[in-house]
Amino acid sequence: MRRRIAEPYKIKAVEPLSMLSYQEREEALKSAGYNTFLLDSKDVYIDLLTDSGTSAMSDKQWGSLMVGDEAYAGSKSWYRLEEAVREVYGYKYVLPTHQGRGAENILSQLKVKPGDYVPGNMYFTTTRAHQEMNGGTFVDVIIDEAHDPQIEVDFKGNVDLNKLKSLIEEVGAHNIPYVCLAVTVNMAGGQPVSMKNMKDVYELCQHHGIDVMYDATRCVENAYFIKERESGYSEKSIKIILKEMFSYSDGCTMSGKKDALVNIGGFLAMNDEDLYTRSRELVVVYEGMPTYGGMAGRDMEAMAQGIYESVDDHYIEHRIHQVRYLGDQLQEAGVPMVRPIGGHAIFLDAKAFLSHLDQLEFPAQSLAAALYLDSGVRAMERGIVSAGRNKDTGEHNQPKLEMIRLTIPRRVYTNNHMDVVADSVIALYEKREKIKGLQMDYEPPTLRFFNARFSPKEVSLIHN
């Protein structure tokens, strides 16, 4: 019998939680326009909206806050962060940013020009937005299996090399500034990329003079899957695996709010000195001095410590297994979800869950709203709303994957909380025909999932 895994930490401080009544949750949902992003935190019982910036920091990280150097230029805390990034990730040059999208903005401005094509293993919302704002066109080159939630593939985030080769032949390498490789792939369900695929992509791109830039936001989770699933890595430490992963790239954007275990911050890293010099100039314009980049010294100290803690093998093993603990319960109950279970979240297949709804009735948005109404659990939509509209036709982009994401913050909740979430999802699945669709009442022009507002197409969201 496999022994169960306990949290590799003990709790020193607690934050009380409160549960609103059904009527109070219904009123809060209406006020938020049935968009879970617009709910107030005080009205949420278990918050699975995102793992971004929601981690619990360790005692050593809290201690690091007290030694933060808040110098405007040349901060000692910056040099500690730079050293941590170089040691753990292996890049020569590092620039701090306020969070990951700050790094995406600078990279896109410097690398993407009108008429360019940026291939990637499935889009991410802010990444694609920055690429498109600079005149680029995102091209999905992920393997086909990634678009089918039911197929079990060990490395569902892999790039299809034939798709990438075809794009290079079609548009020319000079029109591809870089390949954007996400490790793991958020929009595919937190699916990993194999080491072999990273190496193959890098060698192909080197041959054509194309850079490979990682979205490294959840790279430690990806390293764990390589250790667990890929031949030759089971006896290697996460830190060694991670260093090899980054050796097959030219740089990365990083949101420190995920795997680096902090509440704010990020960085842009690379090996090219010319790109680094140009990036330093834009950091000053958009973020701050190159030795703080939108972060306080105390935040840089906490991130440096978090980077070291993130590659602890016991920590990441528990992290992955807590996500599986929730996912296994849902799978046993027959709840449709993305398989295999990813690294940071459970992705419910809203198309299959609410098969009576058309995709234009926003089934994932409806399911996320219904989950909050049922139990006070906040999740987020990852489907047609997140996909936005086609910039040429103005029509809704209709992705094959229509999902809601139950995102597990790091070191925050216990497995008892996961039991509460499982009970609510299963209860909703048993009465799924009673969940109705939504209509969009307000639509922002960009990244609409953050601020769009909805209302039920019928009298109520869940018919009794």
Side-chain angles (χ1 to χ4, degrees), residues 166-228:
S166 295
L167 179 67
I168 294 171
E169 292 173 1
E170 179 184 348
V171 305
H174 62 285
N175 288 318
I176 301 176
Y178 61 92
V179 172
C180 183
L181 190 65
V183 289
T184 58
V185 185
N186 186 356
M187 301 298 282
Q191 300 299 320
V193 181
S194 72
M195 191 74 82
K196 182 180 185 305
N197 191 247
M198 294 180 205
K199 184 177 181 181
D200 289 345
V201 169
Y202 186 59
E203 290 177 350
L204 174 63
C205 289
Q206 277 195 314
H207 176 73
H208 290 281
I210 300 170
D211 285 347
V212 176
M213 304 297 292
Y214 285 177
D215 176 347
T217 296
R218 298 180 180 88
C219 56
V220 181
E221 294 171 8
N222 201 109
Y224 183 84
F225 286 121
I226 289 173
K227 180 181 178 71
E228 188 179 57

Side-chain angles (χ1 to χ4, degrees), residues 142-308:
I142 202 167
I143 59 174
D144 290 339
E145 291 88 340
H147 295 283
D148 187 331
Q150 298 304 312
I151 293 179
E152 294 269 359
V153 177
D154 280 346
F155 294 101
K156 220 170 181 178
N158 279 358
V159 167
D160 185 321
L161 290 173
N162 289 325
K163 289 182 182 179
L164 181 54
K165 289 175 184 176
S166 295
L167 179 67
I168 294 171
E169 292 173 1
E170 179 184 348
V171 305
H174 62 285
N175 288 318
I176 301 176
Y178 61 92
V179 172
C180 183
L181 190 65
V183 289
T184 58
V185 185
N186 186 356
M187 301 298 282
Q191 300 299 320
V193 181
S194 72
M195 191 74 82
K196 182 180 185 305
N197 191 247
M198 294 180 205
K199 184 177 181 181
D200 289 345
V201 169
Y202 186 59
E203 290 177 350
L204 174 63
C205 289
Q206 277 195 314
H207 176 73
H208 290 281
I210 300 170
D211 285 347
V212 176
M213 304 297 292
Y214 285 177
D215 176 347
T217 296
R218 298 180 180 88
C219 56
V220 181
E221 294 171 8
N222 201 109
Y224 183 84
F225 286 121
I226 289 173
K227 180 181 178 71
E228 188 179 57
R229 299 175 183 175
E230 194 161 359
S231 175
Y233 291 93
S234 62
E235 300 302 318
K236 294 186 178 183
S237 70
I238 293 297
K239 191 172 182 179
I240 289 174
I241 294 170
L242 199 65
K243 186 69 75 71
E244 183 181 346
M245 283 171 53
F246 286 106
S247 73
Y248 303 130
S249 69
D250 298 288
C252 78
T253 59
M254 180 70 174
S255 170
K257 298 166 67 177
K258 285 85 167 176
D259 269 355
L261 299 169
V262 288
N263 307 125
I264 198 67
F267 60 82
L268 173 63
M270 71 284 289
N271 292 322
D272 181 79
E273 185 176 6
D274 177 64
L275 179 61
Y276 169 67
T277 300
R278 293 187 293 136
S279 298
R280 279 175 60 94
E281 296 168 1
L282 283 189
V283 163
V284 174
V285 174
Y286 290 104
E287 301 289 320
M289 282 291 290
T291 52
Y292 74 87
M295 282 187 284
R298 54 186 174 270
D299 294 322
M300 292 190 285
E301 289 281 355
M303 188 189 294
Q305 178 63 33
I307 287 172
Y308 290 122

Side-chain angles (χ1 to χ4, degrees), residues 8-115:
Y9 52 83
K10 58 183 179 181
I11 297 168
K12 288 191 174 183
V14 296
E15 177 185 350
L17 298 175
S18 61
M19 166 76 99
L20 302 183
S21 68
Y22 186 93
Q23 291 73 24
E24 289 171 325
R25 295 197 299 276
E26 188 172 38
E27 187 58 39
L29 195 59
K30 288 179 180 177
S31 297
Y34 293 81
N35 185 345
T36 53
F37 273 97
L38 300 179
L39 288 166
D40 290 338
S41 174
K42 66 179 178 59
D43 296 331
V44 175
Y45 178 42
I46 299 175
D47 201 343
L48 306 186
L49 184 74
T50 181
D51 61 332
S52 178
T54 57
S55 298
M57 293 202 302
S58 70
D59 54 350
K60 290 184 178 180
Q61 285 181 290
W62 282 107
S64 295
L65 297 181
M66 302 306 295
V67 297
D69 177 8
E70 305 304 341
Y72 188 81
S75 165
K76 291 180 291 186
S77 300
W78 154 244
Y79 291 112
R80 180 159 187 255
L81 175 59
E82 182 184 48
E83 180 183 12
V85 174
R86 285 176 172 171
E87 179 182 340
V88 175
Y89 300 104
Y91 294 113
K92 293 180 182 178
Y93 305 109
V94 189
L95 285 166
T97 59
H98 74 285
Q99 60 184 62
R101 69 193 61 175
E104 292 172 349
N105 174 42
I106 291 168
L107 179 65
S108 297
Q109 286 206 40
L110 291 176
K111 297 283 284 182
V112 181
K113 65 182 186 301

